[in-house]
Amino acid sequence: MELRHLRHFVAVAEEGHITRAAERLGMQQPPLSQRIKAIEDELNVQLFRRKPRGVELTEAGRVFLDRARATLAHYDGAFEATRSAARGEQGRLCIGVLPTTLFHPFVPLIIRAFRTTYPQVSVTLDECMRAEAIDGLRNQQLDIAFLRSAIDEEVDLNAYPLLNEPMVAALPSDHALARSGRDAQSLSLKDLADEQFILYARKLGPSFYEATMAACIRAGFTPRLGQEAPRITSALSLVAVGLGVSLVPACMQNMTMNGVVYRRLKGAVQPKAVLMIGLRRGDTSPVVRNYVSLVRKTAKTFRPSEKEAR
C-alpha cells in the first residue's frame, strides 16, 4: 500500500461517493473503485458499505480513516518541516554578545525582530569576551557574534561593520567637569588632557583602547594611562571611585551607575565605536543567512534615540 492509496481512500471517505472522489482526485471512477477494493483485500476487512447513492464507512473504515489521516499529516508535516528548514524558518541560532553590545539598542531590537519573523527558530544568547566569541565561532559553538572590532586576521571568519556609535566621556560624579554650571551637557576632549584614563584592556578590547589613544593624540595630547579594566563595567566602576575618566560607547549611558556621569564630546575630535557582526566564512546555514540579511538590512535604516545620538 502506498501513500497515494491512502489519499484515495481518504477522498472516498470524505466525499461519501466514489464518482465525486474520482473527480476530486482527477482520475477515472473504475480505477478508484479497483483501488478501494484492493485496499480492502490487503487489509482483509470491509471499509465501506455500498449504498444506492454512495458509500459509508464501516466501523473498521472509521478507524482506518483516523490512522490514514494521521499518517498523511505526519508525512506532509515532515516534508513541510524539511522545506521550512531549508528556507531557514526552523532550526537554532546561538548568538555571541560582548558586554558592551548588550547595551546597544540595536542588538535587542534585531533579536526581537528576528524572533518575530522566524518564530520557529530557537535563539540563544551567550555573553562572552572578544577572544571567546572568536573561538566560539571557529569551533561552531556560536553561529553569529556581535563584535566591536574587525577580525581580518582570522582567515576563516568574516566581520561586517553595521553601525558607528559616538563615544562619550565617563567622569566621576564629583569631578569638576561633571558639575552643573560648567556646560553640563558636553565637553571637549582637550578638557581631559590632565586626567588619568581608565582603559578597557587592550588584549580584550583593542578597538576601545585604540580609539581612545588615537582620539587623544588628535586632540593634541598623549593620555596618562591608569589601570586597565577587564570589562567595560569594571572600567566604569573604577571611574565611579575616582581613579580616572574613560571613553565609552554612547550606549553605555543606558547603564546607570552611582558615582558616574556621562558627558558627550564636542569639537572636531569625535571618537567612534563600531558595532560589527562576525560569522564563519562560507557558512551555508539558511538560518544564519536569514539572520545576517535581516541584521544588515535593519542597520541601514536604524536611527538611535536622542540619548544614544548625543
Side-chain angles (χ1 to χ4, degrees), residues 4-310:
R4 63 188 178 93
H5 300 155
L6 293 182
R7 298 190 192 280
H8 295 167
F9 165 76
V10 170
V12 173
E14 291 178 347
E15 295 294 337
H17 199 283
I18 291 182
T19 300
R20 288 199 299 269
E23 292 174 353
R24 168 175 155 181
L25 295 167
M27 61 187 299
Q28 297 296 314
Q29 182 269 330
L32 180 58
S33 295
Q34 294 170 9
R35 174 46 50 199
I36 297 301
K37 183 65 168 63
I39 293 174
E40 291 179 322
D41 290 345
E42 183 174 346
L43 296 175
N44 196 29
V45 296
Q46 183 180 0
L47 299 174
F48 294 101
R49 296 187 185 90
R50 278 63 180 174
K51 299 169 60 179
R53 295 188 177 180
V55 295
E56 66 178 7
L57 288 166
T58 63
E59 185 60 32
R62 284 191 287 271
V63 172
F64 189 62
L65 176 62
D66 291 340
R67 298 296 187 271
R69 283 172 169 164
T71 299
L72 292 172
H74 181 76
Y75 176 81
D76 293 340
F79 265 71
E80 180 51 36
T82 302
R83 296 188 186 101
S84 179
R87 295 190 297 265
E89 297 170 354
Q90 291 190 37
R92 58 174 294 277
L93 187 73
C94 186
I95 304 171
V97 286
L98 274 61
T100 62
T101 63
L102 282 170
F103 288 94
H104 197 294
F106 179 80
V107 174
L109 169 72
I110 196 63
I111 292 173
R112 286 195 299 268
F114 183 80
R115 294 189 64 196
T116 299
T117 307
Y118 300 99
Q120 296 187 72
V121 175
S122 173
V123 177
T124 57
L125 301 182
D126 185 2
E127 184 180 1
C128 52
M129 307 303 287
R130 179 179 183 274
E132 295 169 337
I134 292 175
D135 288 343
L137 289 172
R138 300 187 72 174
N139 62 30
Q140 300 189 26
Q141 290 180 340
L142 297 176
D143 301 301
I144 295 290
F146 284 103
L147 303 171
R148 284 296 194 174
S149 58
I151 48 177
D152 294 339
E153 71 278 8
E154 303 292 339
V155 296
D156 53 347
L157 302 177
N158 279 335
Y160 300 103
L162 300 172
L163 300 165
N164 286 322
E165 177 186 10
M167 297 184 76
V168 298
L171 310 174
S173 58
D174 60 355
H175 195 286
L177 293 174
R179 297 172 190 161
S180 59
R182 292 202 55 177
D183 191 1
Q185 295 305 311
S186 64
L187 54 84
S188 168
L189 190 56
K190 236 179 174 179
D191 294 335
L192 303 176
D194 295 328
E195 302 296 330
Q196 183 165 269
F197 278 75
I198 305 298
L199 297 182
Y200 192 34
R202 188 174 191 178
K203 290 184 178 180
L204 301 176
S207 61
F208 295 155
Y209 184 100
E210 293 165 2
T212 298
M213 294 296 293
C216 291
I217 291 171
R218 289 199 305 274
F221 68 96
T222 300
R224 293 193 302 116
L225 302 184
Q227 184 174 342
E228 287 193 2
R231 291 177 178 267
I232 198 76
T233 50
S234 303
L236 292 174
S237 295
L238 295 175
V239 170
V241 298
L243 293 184
V245 302
S246 188
L247 298 186
V248 298
C251 68
M252 296 307 297
Q253 296 173 95
N254 293 320
M255 178 180 172
T256 301
M257 180 177 289
N258 290 335
V260 177
V261 172
Y262 301 99
R263 293 290 178 261
R264 70 175 184 267
L265 298 173
K266 62 182 178 181
V269 180
Q270 295 287 330
K272 302 290 184 182
V274 182
L275 181 67
M276 311 186 78
I277 188 168
L279 66 156
R280 284 181 295 279
R281 186 168 296 171
D283 194 325
T284 59
S285 165
V287 173
V288 171
R289 183 175 63 246
N290 288 344
Y291 189 79
V292 172
S293 176
L294 183 61
V295 166
R296 299 181 75 178
K297 178 181 178 182
T298 305
K300 292 179 180 179
T301 58
F302 176 78
R303 296 292 180 271
S305 68
E306 181 181 349
K307 184 177 182 180
E308 284 89 31
R310 289 185 306 180

